[in-house]
Amino acid sequence: MSTASTERPLALVVDDEPSMRDIVTFALETQDFETCTAGSAEAAWALLQRRSVDLVVLDVMLPGLSGVELCRRIAQTTGIPVILLTALGETSRRIAGLEAGAADYVAKPFHPRELALRAAGLVRRSPLGDGQLTHGPLTVNLRSATAWVAGRRVDLTNHEFRLVAAFAGSPGETLPFRRLLLTGWGDPDLPGGRELLKTAVYRLRMKLGTASRGADAMIRSVRGVGYAFDPDAAEGEEATVTEP
């Protein structure tokens, strides 16, 4: 990441078998990754709400929430590349995972070096690149969880940062309410979620507009659907903040 180009990429390893987590983390560390681990999809999702990672290595067979469902959540909300770990005969699960947004898969048993090299290649080719997203006047650094508008740092809450990162990762795309609630609060069906999201977007627009005139216009309401991010809207706009 441009402000942290010397930092090692961080990989999250998700597997309910401690021995497999050890094998995968050792393999990744030989390719200069830092690692963190989780034994379930639920624990992994909670960790992803607190930390910015560059790669997820995910076992398909997990207790509770499935690896495929976790993969879908990650693909919908973060764009972090996912490598699936599958048993040799799990063709249907492998296909389901790829359809859910996985970037690659490795069948067990696997050679640790092959996994590590695939992981390194995915991180190099990731659209997240060096972890810094820049669109118009907005720059978002995913590793440091910071944002700037026209060179001025914007002081954001955790929820606001997750929202602005989602917008920056999907320019021009309308993000539905449920997807934004999943991204910001980890629950697409949060009671009172629409009002909570409306308030958070309003405050986020205020902060963007305060940092740079017209920047609040980058987040556009799509009635009845969600919100869209249009970085070009900041050009030549007045810094007026309206209710979403």
Side-chain angles (χ1 to χ4, degrees):
M1 309 189 167
S2 63
T3 60
S5 58
T6 61
E7 291 186 21
R8 299 160 62 193
L10 177 62
L12 170 59
V13 179
V14 189
D15 199 299
D16 60 326
E17 297 183 15
S19 59
M20 184 57 65
R21 293 200 298 270
D22 290 343
I23 291 170
V24 174
T25 55
F26 176 78
L28 293 172
E29 286 164 4
T30 66
Q31 285 296 310
D32 208 32
F33 278 87
E34 291 185 0
T35 60
C36 55
T37 64
S40 68
E42 291 84 355
W45 182 248
L47 191 150
L48 286 167
Q49 306 309 299
R50 303 190 305 270
R51 303 189 67 179
S52 295
V53 308
D54 301 285
L55 174 76
V56 177
V57 181
L58 173 62
D59 187 27
V60 170
M61 291 292 290
L62 293 170
L65 187 71
S66 73
V68 171
E69 180 56 33
L70 176 60
C71 180
R72 182 175 292 108
R73 286 190 181 188
I74 293 170
Q76 289 178 341
T77 61
T78 68
I80 298 167
V82 176
I83 295 179
L84 293 177
L85 298 181
T86 68
L88 203 54
E90 292 178 337
T91 303
S92 61
R93 289 193 177 95
R94 185 161 62 243
I95 291 172
L98 292 170
E99 289 176 341
D104 199 358
Y105 72 89
V106 175
K108 302 176 184 178
F110 55 84
H111 194 291
R113 180 159 173 77
E114 177 190 0
L115 171 64
L117 290 173
R118 288 196 185 198
L122 272 180
V123 170
R124 285 196 302 270
R125 298 190 301 272
S126 170
L128 299 180
D130 61 358
Q132 188 155 290
L133 305 172
T134 299
H135 299 290
L138 176 68
T139 297
V140 175
N141 189 292
L142 300 175
R143 181 177 290 276
S144 61
T146 52
W148 295 265
V149 173
R152 295 179 61 182
R153 177 149 175 189
V154 184
D155 184 20
L156 301 175
T157 67
N158 289 338
H159 300 305
E160 290 165 353
F161 177 78
R162 290 174 197 150
L163 293 176
V164 81
F167 288 128
S170 304
E173 181 181 349
T174 298
L175 302 184
F177 297 120
R178 296 183 79 253
R179 177 169 166 183
L180 289 169
L181 286 169
L182 180 63
T183 300
W185 290 269
D187 185 352
D189 300 307
L190 189 68
R194 289 281 188 95
E195 286 303 311
L196 186 66
L197 178 60
K198 178 179 178 180
T199 300
V201 169
Y202 174 69
R203 289 175 177 167
L204 178 57
R205 283 170 166 167
M206 284 187 63
K207 291 180 179 182
L208 297 178
T210 298
S212 179
R213 176 173 297 191
D216 56 288
M218 293 189 293
I219 300 175
R220 177 170 51 86
S221 300
V222 181
R223 187 178 296 276
V225 180
Y227 296 91
F229 176 66
D230 180 8
D232 294 333
E235 298 297 326
E237 295 284 343
E238 291 298 319
T240 57
V241 179
T242 59
E243 285 287 351

